[in-house]
Structure formats: structure tokens, C-alpha cells
Amino acid sequence: MIQYVIRRLLQMIPILVGVTLLIFFLFTFFGEDPARVALGSHATPEKIAALRAKWGLDKPLIMQYLQFWREILTADFGRSFVSGERLSEMFKQGALVSLAVTMPPFIMGTVLNLIVAMLVAWYRGTAFDRFMSVIFTACMSVSFLVYVLLLQYFLAYKLDLFEINGFIPGLKGLPYLFLPWIILMIVHFGPDVRLYRSILLEETKADYVRTARAKGLSEKQVMFKHVLKNAMIPVMTYTVVEVPFLVMGSFVLEKYFSIPGLGDLLVSSVNTGDFPVIKGVTIMIAVAYSLFNLLTDVLYALVDPRVKLS
Amino acid sequence: MSNFSSGDAVLKVEGLVTSFRTDDGTVTALDGVGFDIGRGKTLGIVGESGCGKSVTSLSIMGLLPSGVGRIDAGKILFEGKNLATLPEEEMRDIRGNKIAMIFQEPMTALNPVFTAGEQIIEVFMTHRNMDRSAAYKAALSMMEMVKIPDPERRLEEYPHQMSGGMKQRVMIAMALACKPAVIIADEPTTALDVTIQSQILRLMQDLQKDTGTSIMFITHDLGVIAEMADDVVVMYAGQVIERADVVTLFDHPLHPYTKGLLASIPHVGQHRDKKLSTIRGSVPSLMNLPAGCRFYGRCPYRQPECEQTRPALESHKGAHEVACLFAGRIDAGEIKPNYEALGGE
Ligand SMILES: Nc1ncnc2c1ncn2[C@@H]1O[C@H](COP(=O)(O)OP(=O)(O)OP(=O)(O)O)[C@@H](O)[C@H]1O
Ligand SMILES: [Mg+2]
């Protein structure tokens, strides 16, 4: 197991080299001159040249690329062009805020949706099941933005149940997160429950289910022991791929609730051409994605005995 | 000469009618199926694919897909109860306990995410109220009983770590766990290769001798029937068309379909009449059955009456029963087969 994890971590190195090369060349050959962007359109050529020298942009490409790696390895991506803040600080802050927005509803939502899906699958074919399908379809046909605007209007503005606008990092910001959590859970409710329900029902057609019934097991044991454990494999496939993106936060929610997460940071830096930020975030996503892939595989091995980590 | 259905039957099926609701309408998969299984005996059920063998076993087990399949008429008598109308709760006490089942596909019939041990232990915990450690010991002795080498280690293994024959032994161990009165084996060896197949058959015979269990053995392999069965039921398109003890059936088949089936088994050193070697044509669709004999379209002995008159299963000699209007005259040699009438070669 540990050997496997180490080997997988080593395998991440070539992937990261590829990603860095890609980012490096895209920014070097297709991006604008960062110094020019940073200094604005009125800067004199001398000033630009001076800044280029300061940032090492006049050095040979290979040196610049190695410099990029040093930034990655030390997790120090320099400073933002725009605000001058240290990027490592900004990322840490942003990622924590983003996770605070996305992680709790992801965990609560997944558990809750799985429970609802089991209920619906248990009562499959009944009026309850049909009623719930209508609800899911209705939930799914409303767009994310509509939820944001409607819920903000009714729950926060009209009924004054939730705080919006004014988020501050730390525990004091917690009340501002409740409504975003609810929105994220509602948005995932329809599609997730529908998916889990169909995964569970697909499993009930398997031969081993007939065997379990032929043994005289109760329908509860069949569904919640035999079917559920098998269904966890595809359920995991669908949920774990979302995990790396949780770090990125929800750009829409961060915008509408003025929460300074990573999603918000990335979008504003694209607008202002803040290259170090974009570079840093891209690398972070690549690393997070590889790490969570590894986590997925390890989780698989825990659930599915047929999967061997080797 | 025939000793079929000697008074001591463990399981009696009478006039069983089972239908399925499908998108194209209702399909009557079993239409008046009846037979007895003698205590400690093996009843073989043969018939082509789709004739209703598995539906028969699922009807007995109460495992028809809910909302789709149902028993419309008939009785399944077992220990003084009619399983056809027994409430699910009581049925659950019987399943895996008094009537157990072995399925065809050892590859998929076991749950891939639980160990073999866990899957056997469950049976004891459900029906015998054992705690886990007692159930573990019982499972271990079952593994020894079905002659699985290194049983402690095998109990910890998952199905994918076992060969097909080993998995089928685990299935048999599960089925025998509660010493059931009847084991329904639905083509238990079809998916296995020949040497493993005969090992498993031998094992089932030995265990039957030791435990006195009755077996309902479903197969379309007449060779296996000859080896395993005491009595035989031949099914065709959802009906029983002939039943007899195994010796009578093989020596003296009456129904033209049975004659055809037997003629299609290759015999060593025998020059086979090519015309008899296969039954031409295919089983009629259950959605669109003829008014008369269901075998009419393929029967070389057919007579004009057969097209409209449905033959009932009637006693021919003693307990040898056959559903053919002309069985007697065919048997006496008064009606000769006419293959040309069925369309040329
Ligand atoms: N779930 C179902 N829905 C609809 N019809 C069904 C269903 N199961 C069985 N049937 C019908 O019952 C008929 C008999 O099926 P069954 O599985 O008993 O055949 P079988 O004799 O076991 O064949 P095989 O040798 O291939 O296993 C089928 O031809 C089909 O028309
Ligand atoms: Mg079958």
C-alpha cells in the first residue's frame, strides 16, 4: 500500500513536468509581456526593460523555466502584479475560503443524497418514487443562477433569514456561508439522487442479488448490505472526481456572495492579466487533481476487493 | 414398470401458471406445469432454452421479478403449505433454509465484494440465529463438506480469487448450509468445463446420499440427466409434455419431442439417422402460441387434429405420462414419421 502510494507520487513527476512545460510555453509565446501589463500602457520602454530584468524575463528560456520550478518547489510564486501581495498567502487564504464554501455541502450533500436515493430506490415504482422523480426533474431544470438570485431575494432579503455580503474569513464569516451551502446542496440534489437511484436499481438486477434473496435474506439486508456496497463503487467514481474542483470553489457563488475564494481570485486575475496568479492556480489544480486521483484509487481498493494496488 | 411419483413427495407442483407483464403484453411462461419431487430423489427437468425451466424454479422460490412476473394459478405444495400463496415473510424462512438454490453462473451469482466466508456465514446467521463465531465454525465445516482444500484460507477469499469450480462449491456449501429438504439446481454445471463439471456432479451425488436432500436438477444436457436424475420432466414451451422415471424415459420415450431430443444425443459407435439427429424449427413464441399442440409446427408425426386440439398430460402406462394425442398409436408403430411434410432438408 505505502509502496504503491510512493510509486504513484513518483509517477506524478513526469505529469507535472508536462504541465509546467505547457504552461510555461503558452505564457512565454502566446501571453502578453507581463512587464508591460504590470506597468500599464503608459510605461516607458526603459522602465519595462528594467522590470523585465528584475523579474528575470531577459534571461535565457531554460533559466526562466528552471526559475518556474523553483517557484513551484518552494510554493513561492512571487507577488501579484496587481496587488503586490505574496501569492502563496493569497492562495492559502483563497483555497481555505473556497473549501469553506464547497466542502461542507459536498460532504453533507453526498451523504444526504445517498440516503434519499436509497429511500427512493427502496420505494421504487411507488407513488413516492414517481413524486420524487418529478421533484428531481424540476430541481434540475432550474439554472444555478436562478437559485442564487431567488434564494438571495426571498430567504435573505425578504425573510432576513441569512446574511449575505460582508463575508470575512474566520469563524465570524460562518453565517455568510449558510445560504451558499444550501444553494450548492439544492443544485446537486436532483442530479445526484437521480444518478444514485439509477446506480442502485441497476445493481439490483445483478445475479448476486437473486442469490442473496434465494438465501432467505430480508429485502433490507439485500438492499443495504449487498446492493449498497457494490453500488458504492460507481457512486465513488462520480463523486470523487468532483473533489479536486472543490478547492477552486464556486466562482458564481463567490461572486454573488462577495466571498474572496480562489474561484473569485482566478477570474479577476484573468480579467486583469495577473499572470503569476493564473500560473500558480493552474499548477495547483494539476497537483490537486493528481493527488485526488491517487486518493480515489486508494479508496477503490478499500471498497472493491477486485482492485489491487500494484 | 415406472415408479414415478411414489406417494412420498417432498414438493408437489400442480397446474402452475406463471405470467410476465412485458411491453408487448402478457406472456404466459408456464401453462399448467405439474410434477412431484420424491424424497431424497433427483428430479431432472429438461427442455430447450426458453421453455420455462428457470421460471419454474423462480416460481417455487417466490423469486419472480416483483411487479413483472406472477403466479396466476396452481399450487406449490411443500410441508403442508402452498408456496404459491405464502406471504413473503414465511417464504423467507423457507428460502435458503428448507429450499435452497444453486445457480448457473458461478462467476456472477456470488457477490464480488464479500468474502466466500461472509456469504456462507450470512445463511447461518439468518436461519439459525447463530452469532458470528458460531456461524464461522459452521461455514468452515461446510467448506470441508464440499471438499474445498485449505478451507480457512478460502473462507477469507473473494469470489474473483477462485476458479469457477471452486465458486460453485461455495454455492453448494451455501445451499446445503441449513440442510434443506430440496435443492433447486438451475444448470449448475453448464458454465464449467467438462472435468470440473463431472467433479461437481459427483460431489452433489455424494452429498445427496449423505444428507438425503431432494434435488430438482435443471439442465438441457440429457447426458447429465441420465447420470443424475431418478425421474424426469420434459418441458416444451411452458408445458410439461412428458414425465417418467429416467430409465423408462430413455428406453421408451413417447412424445415426438422427447424422441427427437434423445435422438440428438450422439451415441458412441452408432450410425445415426441424420434426419432424426436434430429437431428442425424452433420453439413457438409465447406471445403467439398455436391453438392445438405447441409442438405441431415441428412434429414429424403430426396429424390434422393436432393443429386445433390441445393434448392434455395423460397417463400412458402407470406413472409414465405424456401430452400427445397420438402417443399410443405412435408407440404401436401405427403412425410413421414424415419429415418431408416439415419441409425439405
Ligand atoms: N423477466 C421476464 N420478463 C418477461 N418474460 C420472461 C422473463 N423471464 C422469463 N420470461 C419468459 O419466460 C420464458 C421462459 O424463460 P426461462 O428463463 O424459464 O427459460 P429456460 O427454460 O430457463 O431457458 P434457458 O435454458 O435458456 O435457461 C422466456 O422465453 C421468456 O419469454
Ligand atoms: Mg434458465
Side-chain angles (χ1 to χ4, degrees):
Chain A
M1 177 78 143
I2 293 182
Q3 272 184 349
Y4 173 80
V5 172
I6 291 173
R7 207 172 57 245
R8 281 289 301 269
L9 287 173
L10 290 178
Q11 279 168 7
M12 276 170 60
I13 294 173
I15 296 171
L16 284 181
V17 170
V19 172
T20 52
L21 277 174
L22 194 67
I23 296 173
F24 182 74
F25 282 108
L26 281 179
F27 279 86
T28 310
F29 294 111
F30 298 103
E32 287 176 82
D33 183 351
R36 191 182 299 277
V37 175
L39 293 172
S41 46
H42 302 298
T44 60
E46 293 78 40
K47 271 197 167 158
I48 291 175
L51 192 62
R52 285 181 62 90
K54 187 177 160 213
W55 282 345
L57 293 174
D58 54 349
K59 295 216 183 87
L61 281 182
I62 178 76
M63 294 308 287
Q64 288 188 41
Y65 179 68
L66 290 177
Q67 165 72 15
F68 184 34
W69 262 101
R70 208 184 68 200
E71 290 171 2
I72 294 168
L73 293 177
T74 55
D76 180 358
F77 295 95
R79 286 165 192 279
S80 160
F81 286 172
V82 178
S83 64
E85 262 182 278
R86 290 203 74 79
L87 284 177
S88 43
E89 262 320 296
M90 286 171 74
F91 289 160
K92 211 169 81 193
Q93 279 287 337
L96 283 178
V97 169
S98 285
L99 282 176
V101 175
T102 53
M103 197 57 124
F106 172 75
I107 294 171
M108 287 187 293
T110 303
V111 173
L112 189 84
N113 294 343
L114 204 56
I115 292 172
V116 175
M118 285 193 295
L119 272 175
V120 176
W122 178 260
Y123 290 106
R124 59 187 171 278
T126 64
F128 172 69
D129 181 23
R130 281 192 292 274
F131 170 74
M132 291 303 280
S133 313
V134 175
I135 301 265
F136 304 144
T137 315
C139 280
M140 286 167 74
S141 47
V142 177
S143 98
F144 190 20
L145 262 182
V146 175
Y147 281 117
V148 173
L149 296 176
L150 280 181
L151 291 178
Q152 275 198 344
Y153 182 75
F154 285 108
L155 298 183
Y157 177 69
K158 281 282 187 198
L159 298 173
D160 206 18
L161 291 175
F162 297 101
E163 310 270 0
I164 47 173
N165 277 327
F167 173 83
I168 23 166
L171 271 183
K172 284 218 184 67
L174 206 57
Y176 297 89
L177 292 176
F178 293 151
L179 193 53
W181 288 355
I182 291 173
I183 292 173
L184 277 179
M185 282 170 65
I186 291 178
V187 168
H188 281 104
F189 179 70
D192 280 14
V193 176
R194 238 169 65 148
L195 177 71
Y196 299 161
R197 174 188 178 275
S198 68
I199 289 174
L200 285 164
L201 290 189
E202 200 48 46
E203 278 300 326
T204 60
K205 293 183 192 141
D207 281 345
Y208 68 80
V209 173
R210 200 182 47 187
T211 309
R213 291 199 179 117
K215 288 199 279 192
L217 300 190
S218 69
E219 199 57 17
K220 282 201 184 75
Q221 280 173 298
V222 172
M223 277 301 277
F224 300 131
K225 182 176 174 186
H226 285 258
V227 170
L228 186 60
K229 191 164 181 200
N230 279 279
M232 283 317 287
I233 299 165
V235 164
M236 252 170 46
T237 314
Y238 286 106
T239 45
V240 182
V241 289
E242 288 181 37
V243 174
F245 297 103
L246 297 180
V247 184
M248 293 303 303
S250 162
F251 152 69
V252 175
L253 285 178
E254 286 172 12
K255 263 274 166 286
Y256 277 85
F257 285 83
S258 319
I259 297 170
L262 218 51
D264 187 44
L265 179 65
L266 181 62
V267 173
S268 44
S269 46
V270 168
N271 288 337
T272 52
D274 205 342
F275 293 118
V277 176
I278 302 171
K279 264 203 285 201
V281 170
T282 317
I283 289 291
M284 273 176 44
I285 295 173
V287 173
Y289 202 78
S290 311
L291 283 179
F292 279 104
N293 260 334
L294 173 57
L295 182 70
T296 318
D297 290 348
V298 172
L299 281 177
Y300 265 133
L302 293 180
V303 179
D304 189 346
R306 286 163 294 186
V307 175
K308 272 276 156 289
L309 296 181
S310 59
Chain B
M1 77 188 245
S2 174
N3 56 4
F4 193 91
S5 54
S6 51
D8 192 22
V10 235
L11 186 86
K12 244 176 139 58
V13 177
E14 293 174 7
L16 192 63
V17 179
T18 297
S19 64
F20 290 94
R21 241 183 19 213
T22 69
D23 295 338
D24 313 314
T26 303
V27 173
T28 305
L30 299 184
D31 194 358
V33 167
F35 51 80
D36 301 350
I37 305 178
R39 194 169 300 281
K41 294 280 168 65
T42 298
L43 174 73
I45 298 194
V46 263
E48 274 165 291
S49 189
C51 70
K53 304 183 296 292
S54 297
V55 173
T56 305
S57 59
L58 294 178
S59 301
I60 295 171
M61 293 295 281
L63 289 176
L64 293 168
S66 67
V68 180
R70 51 174 261 205
I71 297 176
D72 296 315
K75 287 181 185 160
I76 300 162
L77 299 170
F78 176 75
E79 295 187 347
K81 292 180 190 130
N82 179 8
L83 305 189
T85 55
L86 205 64
E88 169 65 17
E89 222 104 299
E90 285 181 59
M91 202 57 222
R92 214 151 54 214
D93 281 344
I94 291 177
R95 283 202 284 262
N97 186 13
K98 294 180 169 164
I99 305 180
M101 196 156 172
I102 302 169
F103 294 98
Q104 174 177 353
E105 311 81 7
M107 304 300 154
T108 53
L110 292 172
N111 192 326
V113 301
F114 291 105
T115 58
E118 177 64 31
Q119 298 186 54
I120 302 174
I121 285 170
E122 248 179 1
V123 183
F124 288 111
M125 291 176 71
T126 306
H127 295 296
R128 292 283 179 267
N129 286 321
M130 288 185 184
D131 62 26
R132 188 160 275 279
S133 69
Y136 176 86
K137 286 200 196 83
L140 192 61
S141 73
M142 287 315 298
M143 296 285 271
E144 282 159 3
M145 193 168 163
V146 297
K147 302 194 176 66
I148 291 179
D150 202 356
E152 281 99 343
R153 187 170 60 85
R154 291 292 184 182
L155 274 180
E156 303 304 322
E157 282 189 354
Y158 290 93
H160 73 275
Q161 294 166 288
M162 300 179 165
S163 67
M166 198 66 77
K167 276 185 266 208
Q168 205 56 301
R169 280 172 198 264
V170 171
M171 280 294 293
I172 293 171
M174 254 160 52
L176 280 173
C178 296
K179 306 207 172 8
V182 180
I183 289 184
I184 300 176
D186 192 348
E187 310 201 25
T189 56
T190 312
L192 306 175
D193 56 47
V194 188
T195 45
I196 308 294
Q197 181 170 337
S198 59
Q199 283 174 19
I200 296 286
L201 293 178
R202 182 102 3 99
L203 175 72
M204 289 181 69
Q205 281 173 324
D206 292 347
L207 292 171
Q208 184 178 29
K209 262 190 219 112
D210 297 345
T211 59
T213 311
S214 305
I215 300 179
M216 177 175 141
F217 199 104
I218 296 176
T219 179
H220 38 227
D221 185 340
L222 280 161
V224 173
I225 287 286
E227 199 173 321
M228 299 291 292
D230 300 300
D231 300 310
V232 186
V233 160
V234 183
M235 288 184 68
Y236 188 80
Q239 295 180 323
V240 173
I241 51 124
E242 185 161 7
R243 35 188 245 194
D245 68 88
V246 68
V247 177
T248 308
L249 191 95
F250 275 78
D251 282 356
H252 199 152
L254 289 175
H255 199 286
Y257 175 67
T258 317
K259 286 177 189 281
L261 276 185
L262 287 171
S264 64
I265 322 176
H267 292 280
V268 183
Q270 182 185 323
H271 179 74
R272 283 185 296 141
D273 181 348
K274 204 164 179 284
K275 281 175 187 163
L276 268 174
S277 63
T278 50
I279 304 171
R280 225 174 291 151
S282 55
V283 192
S285 152
L286 292 175
M287 300 293 287
N288 189 18
L289 285 168
C293 178
R294 295 184 178 180
F295 192 55
Y296 178 79
R298 301 166 76 188
C299 183
Y301 296 91
R302 69 184 177 191
Q303 301 297 312
E305 291 97 308
C306 300
E307 196 171 3
Q308 292 304 325
T309 314
R310 210 170 123 175
L313 190 67
E314 279 165 353
S315 171
H316 178 70
K317 274 186 195 135
H320 190 171
E321 293 178 315
V322 63
C324 174
L325 295 176
F326 296 95
R329 289 178 58 196
I330 294 170
D331 195 36
E334 291 165 24
I335 299 173
K336 294 272 174 262
N338 178 358
Y339 295 98
E340 279 66 43
L342 293 175
E345 207 42 2

